[in-house]
Amino acid sequence: MELSDLVSQAEPKCIAITGFMLVEEDVDGVACSSIRLSVQVHQQQGKGRAGPGPAVAEGTVDSDVVPTSDLRQCMWRDEELWIAFWAACLNNVQPHRQPHKYSRFTHGSKRPHQAEGGSRVMNGTPVWHVYEIVDFKLAYGRPAFNVAWVDYPDEENTWEPLRSLKQPLHTFNWSALEPWRRCCNTMAAGKPQLLPGAAEDNRPLPPPRVRSLSNSLGSLRKQACYLLIVLIAVV
């Protein structure tokens, strides 16, 4: 099985992101940057066992194959990589403008009022295609996205939670850069899952022990008294 297929079928918590690279590409005659991820796919542990299993595959994949928009669910090498990823998205990546080909959305409780249009069924679940993300906000402290749909008028736009979008946010079509920038800054401030051991490896070293001046003087007095006793005994 190809690595991209393995990643797309894996649980997000079993995907470890260990690096990324910017790739220049041409989209409809416009030069833009996309992101490829260095990933490891880990086995899923059985019930009652903490942490991921051993890695079964690793390599680089296009970021749009990761099956979640909430990349905090994946494991990251460290927090520095997480922040650098969103900085690259903010400064270098213009979100894709290929909504019919790439954007997908699986509805939970919310959906456009009509049942036809851009909808279809995938694995028994109704799926609607996202035309573009129009706006971004925090609703009760959680990211929410104003979504326009393929084959639906603007009146059918709906606000959707992050968990409903089924691919990384930078692979969707955004109507403007300003909400995209707000989204990047908000996501960068979040805390991702880290690979086991990453938190311990990145802990700051403890400060060196410094003996206080009073302790040092006390030790000198003891040494002076000892030398005096030795001199008296010799005389």
Side-chain angles (χ1 to χ4, degrees), residues 111-121 126-128 152 156:
R111 63 179 179 84
H113 302 309
Q114 304 175 20
E116 62 277 356
S119 65
R120 63 191 180 91
V121 175
V127 174
W128 283 263
Y152 288 89
E156 298 286 348

Side-chain angles (χ1 to χ4, degrees), residues 97-170:
R97 302 196 66 83
Q98 302 178 69
H100 293 269
K101 183 177 180 181
Y102 288 105
S103 299
R104 57 188 182 272
F105 177 93
T106 303
H107 281 284
S109 59
K110 296 182 179 181
R111 63 179 179 84
H113 302 309
Q114 304 175 20
E116 62 277 356
S119 65
R120 63 191 180 91
V121 175
M122 181 183 295
N123 297 327
T125 304
V127 174
W128 283 263
H129 287 283
V130 175
Y131 181 75
E132 63 184 5
I133 297 177
V134 178
D135 202 0
F136 166 83
K137 70 177 181 179
L138 288 176
Y140 302 102
R142 297 183 178 181
F145 304 84
N146 189 263
V147 175
W149 306 98
V150 172
D151 296 331
Y152 288 89
D154 292 342
E155 294 76 17
E156 298 286 348
N157 291 3
T158 57
W159 283 97
E160 304 295 343
L162 179 61
R163 66 177 181 274
S164 296
L165 302 172
K166 300 303 181 182
Q167 63 193 68
L169 295 172
H170 65 280

Side-chain angles (χ1 to χ4, degrees), residues 51 111 120 168 213 225 228:
R111 63 179 179 84
R120 63 191 180 91
L213 181 60
C225 291
L228 181 60

